[in-house]
Amino acid sequence: SMPAHRLNNVPIALYFATHFYFSSYHVFSNCCLRKVETAYLPGFRRNLLFALVIISLSYFTAFMETLTMSSFPYYSFEDRDMAYTFGSAFYGIYFIVSFPAFYFFDND
């Protein structure tokens, strides 16, 4: 653990770390979504693949963040399986909205 000033028993520096975590998530999602848009011809199948990539990346990102965060000593879960499956699904809803939003913001 890092000796530092704390807020809610979390080192303040970790609050600033969320910026580069979320920036990285969105850069990688933009790369994947851009690949789908440029590698396939426009149409229903490309739109379906685009949506499936968003949903898959959203759940994967939320799941992996929950999994890696579980090793941090200040987090605890009453039911780890529930946190990994349903918690990640509900957290992934954020990314279902933000991944396409950042992708389309980047187009301008």
Side-chain angles (χ1 to χ4, degrees):
S1 171
M2 48 197 284
H5 297 289
R6 296 175 177 274
L7 180 62
N8 292 330
N9 207 21
V10 175
I12 291 176
L14 290 180
Y15 287 99
F16 298 111
T18 59
H19 178 74
F20 60 79
Y21 283 125
F22 277 81
S23 295
S24 299
Y25 301 157
H26 289 87
V27 165
F28 293 132
S29 72
N30 275 7
C31 291
C32 293
L33 295 175
R34 190 160 319 285
K35 183 67 174 176
V36 169
E37 189 169 350
T38 58
Y40 297 96
L41 295 173
F44 174 75
R45 289 183 181 179
R46 184 178 83 177
N47 292 341
L48 180 62
L49 180 60
F50 194 85
L52 290 174
V53 167
I54 290 170
I55 292 167
S56 301
L57 282 175
S58 296
Y59 187 80
F60 177 76
T61 303
F63 179 82
M64 291 308 294
E65 186 173 343
T66 305
L67 183 66
T68 57
M69 189 172 49
S70 68
S71 64
F72 192 66
Y74 298 107
Y75 290 96
S76 63
F77 303 110
E78 285 185 29
D79 184 354
R80 283 191 185 275
D81 292 332
M82 185 73 79
Y84 292 149
T85 54
F86 291 110
S88 296
F90 281 99
Y91 180 35
I93 293 171
Y94 167 78
F95 295 115
I96 288 173
V97 174
S98 70
F99 284 166
F102 273 77
Y103 178 75
F104 291 113
F105 292 155
D106 190 38
N107 279 344
D108 291 338

